[in-house]
Amino acid sequence: MMNISVIIPVYNAEKYIKKAVASVLQFQEVTEVLLIDDGSKDKSLEICSSLSQNHPEIKVLTHSNNQNRGVSASRNLGIDNATQEFITFLDADDYWLPNRFDAEREIFKDSKIDGVFGALSTEFISEQGKAEYLNKFGDHGLTTVKFAAEGKEIFHHLVAEPNTFGSSFSLIALTIRKTAISNPTLRLSPQLSIGEDKEFIIRLAYHKHLKTGIIETPIANRTAHDSNSITKITNYSGNAFYHQAMLYKSLYLWANSEKNFPLQTKTLFKLKYLSAKIASKAGIKKYILFATYTLRNPTLLKTRYRYFALKHNTHE
């Protein structure tokens, strides 16, 4: 039987945490649940402590001085403290479905498989959350990939242009061997507050042997409510372009640190970083930065990213 550690970062999630925890305790494979309170201001820590008293497999962790350090630092704290053979993730306002490990139980019999991921659906629990989600993402279908794949091809599919595979998948639908992320460099970036999961997934797909699991139907649900952080950022706003620039800057710096990294992909990361940084600016600053970057990086002028860079934004 698989022995699984579940890492759940918690921040002001008093309304949702009990349902999230109940959804993981339904599985006999879950032998450790790490609730990492990230400096919550509501009753989340009190609820987590109560849950741990009733369920010996639940452990509650906090940052020093109960600081709020963000979801990446919280997940990393969970990774560092996980003790079981497999590691999984769940957000405190989301929950797993009964088929969560149906594919994993079989696929992980192959020792070369480091990680398995599946599809995610969305449940709308408020009209405001639904409106913001649909405005952000355009539909409420599955977050999934479009066809089965494994190994290095997953990395190449994730970074391909044009992308016919799917730009990413969700951490809450990923199961990874603990040994696969024993290297402390395979952690989420605390410098990223948006897109940190995508950045981590791309690096993980490059270094480890991942495989698709159940991708046609959901194995977990995210909830769309009034407080989802990702939906608060307006598409094509200065803020949205800023976070995209930070994501691809991080990937570009990582690619530069890797030996024999594919030059085409490294160049793509750089172009996406530069064009998003330009797009995040408004007015004359945008055109000055465009002129500066294209002078230093003339390749930018030869690609479609020159149009992306000059997109007008709402500059929220």
Side-chain angles (χ1 to χ4, degrees):
M1 185 182 77
M2 299 170 62
N3 293 314
I4 297 170
S5 293
V6 186
I7 295 170
I8 306 179
V10 180
Y11 180 70
N12 292 349
E14 63 180 8
K15 296 179 182 178
Y16 312 105
I17 185 62
K18 288 183 179 179
K19 183 174 182 178
V21 169
S23 80
V24 305
L25 292 180
Q26 69 181 298
F27 300 101
Q28 62 177 345
E29 291 93 344
V30 172
T31 48
E32 181 175 65
V33 181
L34 300 176
L35 301 177
I36 300 94
D37 185 78
D38 190 25
S40 295
K41 306 302 182 185
D42 63 2
K43 295 182 180 179
S44 291
L45 182 55
E46 179 182 329
I47 293 171
C48 290
S49 298
S50 176
L51 287 168
S52 70
Q53 292 172 9
N54 295 321
H55 301 280
E57 61 268 58
I58 296 178
K59 301 174 184 176
V60 181
L61 303 175
T62 61
H63 300 292
S64 60
N65 300 318
N66 289 321
Q67 290 178 312
N68 172 248
R69 296 192 54 198
V71 67
S72 292
S74 298
R75 286 172 176 154
N76 290 341
L77 182 61
I79 293 172
D80 293 339
N81 283 273
T83 63
Q84 302 304 292
E85 182 183 4
F86 295 92
I87 289 176
T88 57
F89 302 91
L90 184 63
D91 291 343
D93 53 355
D94 301 329
Y95 60 95
W96 285 345
L97 298 174
N99 63 341
R100 175 61 180 84
F101 298 109
D102 286 0
E104 285 78 356
R105 293 184 185 103
E106 293 301 316
I107 293 174
F108 277 119
K109 291 177 181 178
D110 184 345
S111 60
K112 76 172 181 292
I113 305 298
D114 292 313
V116 178
F117 61 92
L120 176 73
S121 59
T122 303
E123 177 186 2
F124 300 109
I125 60 174
S126 75
E127 287 303 313
Q128 179 182 333
K130 180 177 181 179
E132 290 177 347
Y133 182 91
L134 294 179
N135 182 61
K136 178 75 176 181
F137 299 107
D139 64 65
H140 56 277
L142 293 178
T143 297
T144 189
V145 296
K146 298 176 182 177
F147 49 86
E150 71 171 282
K152 204 72 162 199
E153 64 179 332
I154 290 179
F155 169 76
H156 292 301
H157 287 320
L158 288 174
V159 300
E161 289 284 345
N163 189 302
T164 59
F165 180 62
S167 59
S168 190
F169 50 86
S170 174
L171 276 185
I172 76 169
L174 170 71
T175 306
I176 189 82
R177 293 187 193 272
K178 182 187 176 185
T179 54
I181 51 177
S182 59
N183 188 326
T185 63
L186 273 178
R187 296 292 183 272
L188 290 100
S189 172
Q191 285 72 45
L192 297 176
S193 57
I194 299 292
E196 76 290 336
D197 47 353
K198 180 175 181 177
E199 193 260 7
F200 175 70
I201 282 167
I202 288 175
R203 289 189 287 116
L204 191 65
Y206 180 78
H207 287 290
K208 300 301 174 180
H209 193 109
L210 304 184
K211 184 179 175 66
T212 48
I214 299 172
I215 58 174
E216 302 85 6
T217 56
I219 62 173
N221 259 346
R222 72 158 64 89
T223 58
H225 51 78
D226 297 355
S227 303
N228 291 126
S229 58
I230 185 65
T231 58
K232 301 301 180 185
I233 299 177
T234 305
N235 288 340
Y236 306 114
S237 66
N239 196 19
F241 287 127
Y242 167 79
H243 286 294
Q244 186 164 359
M246 293 302 97
L247 165 64
Y248 283 103
K249 178 182 180 181
S250 183
L251 285 171
Y252 175 62
L253 293 175
W254 161 69
N256 260 341
S257 72
E258 295 289 337
K259 292 182 178 179
N260 304 315
F261 194 87
L263 178 60
Q264 183 177 358
T265 303
K266 186 191 303 185
T267 301
L268 178 66
F269 290 159
K270 184 177 183 180
L271 291 174
K272 286 191 171 187
Y273 160 52
L274 295 178
S275 59
K277 186 173 181 181
I278 295 167
S280 71
K281 306 299 180 182
I284 190 65
K285 291 181 180 179
K286 179 192 295 286
Y287 294 97
I288 291 174
L289 198 60
F290 180 78
T292 301
Y293 280 169
T294 53
L295 185 62
R296 297 174 182 172
N297 304 273
T299 304
L300 188 61
L301 286 171
K302 302 175 184 179
T303 70
R304 66 187 181 90
Y305 290 102
R306 68 184 185 275
Y307 302 113
F308 179 84
L310 294 175
K311 273 184 177 290
H312 294 291
N313 63 62
T314 60
H315 206 67
E316 63 175 22

